[in-house]
């Protein structure tokens, strides 16, 4: 109901079920989701190797593919996708899971989530700090700890799953689970046919607001040789491909808004991934600083000074985050910056990564951009304070589950 493009991809055949929920803004989310899906669906053939090995290999390939695309076109840096895959080997399912798309099983009327969300809130649930109900409405519920990002530090969960006759399986993107509770999903999944269940689930998610793309893949485990109901969408035995992977690749022009789409001021998907590496900003800043110095030396002093006063950046002041007007460069005898606004965000409330970013200064293209940078600092999850034991002084305890900026992906 809100998105101008579909960044989910879904696939269903008699032996392969898959969902990929892309992220990374504009055309990049579509690209990540469809590229990954197009590699994963190559598994839909007679396999001559162990299904779990084949699945692991395909996930690796998809990851390498995203990495390659990002290296070729830095504009798509930060794109990624979730993955939820079930591959039938004739006796059991090989399952791969990465991100916050989910797999559910309906067995004898009981719905069970069989994947664990790779999210910050799920880690809080696992540690008993919050309940599942609290997780559903938690302000940081969209923070992903793992996704397919083209890097080598995000592994998928791989497992075997033994189905029972009559089981129904649901793979879905968070566009469903953010909108609809498990109880409602359970009722819909018990519909007379899987087609009815799919239609009902999408309808319910849209009716509840439909703020994100909604994709569901539903399968029923039946005896081999059973003819499917001729009214089912799978009756022709053909694989079904939906979403981004089923659409023609769009040219990447950097301007995702097309004429007939509803006006979108900014794509919320832009916020789903980790902040850019500080190195690039530093380079930009030095470039800007050198340009400013050169301009001043060229005796265009007044003009250059005015230009500097239209520039903004976010940096530290008195231990707090501040928005500065001007440029971040020291020239003896010249003051080219002043504090536009001192926020009450303390540097100590930020993650190490963000604190370092702020300390070295973050360029902004405008005053609004500077405010946006500050607003985005809220994405840093609060440091866990529920545990009174200071973990930093006990290096032998298991690694803290608090996400670091390097492994956090933000999804609104
Ligand atoms: Ca989504």
């Amino acid at each position: 109901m809100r998105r101008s493009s579909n960044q989910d991809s879904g696939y269903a055949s008699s032996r392969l079920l898959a969902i990929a929920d892309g992220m990374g803004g504009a055309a990049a989310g579509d690209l990540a989701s469809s590229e990954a899906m197009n590699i994963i669906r190559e598994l839909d053939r007679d396999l001559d190797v162990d299904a779990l090995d084949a699945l692991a290999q395909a996930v690796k390939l998809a990851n390498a593919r995203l990495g390659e695309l990002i290296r070729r076109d830095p504009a798509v840096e930060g794109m990624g996708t979730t993955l939820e895959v079930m591959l039938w080997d004739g006796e059991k399912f090989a399952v791969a899971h990465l991100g916050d798309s989910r797999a559910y099983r309906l067995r004898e009327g009981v719905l069970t989530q069989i994947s664990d969300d790779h999210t910050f809130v799920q880690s809080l649930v696992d540690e008993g700090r919050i309940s599942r109900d609290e997780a559903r409405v938690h302000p940081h519920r969209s923070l992903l700890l793992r996704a397919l990002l083209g890097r080598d530090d995000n592994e998928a969960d791989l497992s075997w799953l033994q189905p029972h006759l009559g089981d129904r399986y649901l793979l879905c993107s968070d566009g469903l689970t953010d909108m609809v509770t498990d109880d409602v999903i359970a009722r819909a999944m018990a519909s007379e046919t899987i087609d009815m269940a799919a239609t009902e689930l999408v309808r319910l998610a849209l009716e509840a607001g439909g703020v994100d793309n909604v994709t569901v893949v539903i399968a029923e485990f039946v005896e081999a040789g059973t003819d499917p109901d001729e009214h089912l969408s799978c009756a022709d035995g053909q694989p079904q491909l939906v979403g981004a992977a089923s659409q023609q690749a769009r040219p990447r022009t950097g301007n995702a808004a097309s004429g007939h789409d509803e006006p979108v001021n900014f794509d919320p998907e832009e916020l789903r991934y980790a902040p850019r590496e500080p190195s690039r900003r530093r380079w930009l800043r030095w470039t800007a600083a050198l340009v400013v110095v050169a301009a001043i030396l060229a005796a265009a002093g007044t003009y250059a000074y005015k230009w500097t006063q239209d520039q903004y950046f976010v940096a530290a002041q008195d231990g707090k985050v501040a928005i500065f007007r001007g440029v971040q460069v020291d020239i003896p005898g010249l003051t080219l910056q002043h504090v536009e606004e001192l926020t009450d965000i303390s540097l100590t409330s930020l993650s190490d990564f963000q604190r370092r970013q702020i300390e070295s200064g973050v360029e902004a293209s405008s005053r609004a951009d500077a405010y946006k940078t500050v607003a985005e600092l809220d994405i840093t999850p609060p440091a866990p304070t529920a545990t009174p034991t200071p973990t930093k002084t006990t290096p032998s305890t298991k690694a803290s589950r608090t996400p670091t900026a390097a492994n956090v992906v933000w999804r609104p």
Side-chain angles (χ1 to χ4, degrees), residues 45-72:
R45 59 186 157 80
D46 287 330
L47 298 168
D48 44 15
V49 293
D50 177 83
L52 203 56
D53 290 346
L55 184 51
Q57 194 57 33
V59 172
K60 261 194 187 143
L61 258 178
N63 190 47
R65 173 75 181 142
L66 295 196
E68 181 194 323
L69 289 169
I70 291 166
R71 272 191 302 280
R72 270 199 222 157

Side-chain angles (χ1 to χ4, degrees), residues 246-268:
S246 71
Q247 286 150 14
Q248 289 280 336
R250 294 186 302 175
R252 290 202 61 260
T253 60
N255 181 8
S258 62
H260 55 270
D261 280 345
E262 60 189 292
V264 179
N265 288 331
F266 81 101
D267 184 345

